[in-house]
Amino acid sequence: MQVAQYEEDAQDHTPAESLLLAYAAMLPIASGTAASLALGRERGAALEVSTIRFAGAVLCFLAGVRRGLSFRQSGGPTVGQLGVMFSTFSLGSGALLLPPRKPALLLLLSGFGLLALLDPEAARTHQAPRFFARLRPVQMVIPIASLAALFFRRSKTVK
């Protein structure tokens, strides 16, 4: 039985559906943060919790994306690919399990930062689609900036 080989698109452009899905996933994080900050600490508390939980779920999803990408590698996943996937999943699930406070935000910031740094490298080494090299750093600015704003708001208040 002949197995079809995966052939990557030789173009560096990001497909329209990938752009839409990539930024649509970040919209609730940015809008939840903006609304929470606008409403203030007490009135925006529920939105802040929802935003942190959603960000944790997105980070777990992106860990799954990393795992899925490793399936297309001949010879199976590398130790590094599995390490990034487990690290990203651990940071996302840790943020979901912790109370939605500064430690959870630090886990999320670490996870999204990890993807912003490592996904472009994965694209350059043909372990991810080429367009990840340009998409991920820009895409990850949204959750990093949003969650950093929530973190700094928590740093200003006592609790």
Side-chain angles (χ1 to χ4, degrees):
M1 180 173 155
Q2 187 73 14
V3 177
Q5 288 288 340
Y6 174 84
E7 289 191 33
E8 182 180 8
D9 185 350
Q11 297 180 14
D12 289 327
H13 77 282
T14 304
E17 66 275 4
S18 294
L19 274 175
L20 175 66
L21 293 172
Y23 290 106
M26 301 302 132
L27 186 60
I29 299 170
S31 60
T33 296
S36 176
L37 294 173
L39 290 171
R41 177 109 170 114
E42 287 186 31
R43 290 181 40 208
L47 271 172
E48 182 177 332
V49 169
S50 297
T51 300
I52 292 169
R53 296 295 185 226
F54 183 81
V58 168
L59 199 54
C60 288
F61 172 80
L62 292 174
V65 169
R66 287 293 296 219
R67 178 66 179 123
L69 290 172
S70 72
F71 288 131
R72 68 186 198 106
Q73 297 294 124
S74 59
T78 65
V79 172
Q81 288 171 321
L82 292 173
V84 171
M85 185 273 298
F86 281 120
S87 297
T88 307
F89 183 79
S90 296
L91 292 167
S93 58
L96 289 169
L97 295 171
L98 286 173
R101 295 194 172 83
K102 285 171 50 176
L105 287 164
L106 285 174
L107 291 178
L108 292 170
L109 287 165
S110 299
F112 286 112
L114 183 72
L115 291 177
L117 294 173
L118 297 181
D119 276 1
E121 182 58 28
R124 284 188 278 281
T125 59
H126 307 289
Q127 296 177 16
R130 286 181 177 188
F131 66 86
F132 272 35
R134 282 196 266 173
L135 172 68
R136 280 293 196 248
V138 177
Q139 179 193 21
M140 294 299 109
V141 165
I142 297 167
I144 290 169
S146 299
L147 297 167
L150 293 177
F151 180 83
F152 288 117
R153 178 172 71 179
R154 284 204 167 265
S155 295
K156 288 185 194 179
T157 58
V158 178
K159 194 171 181 182

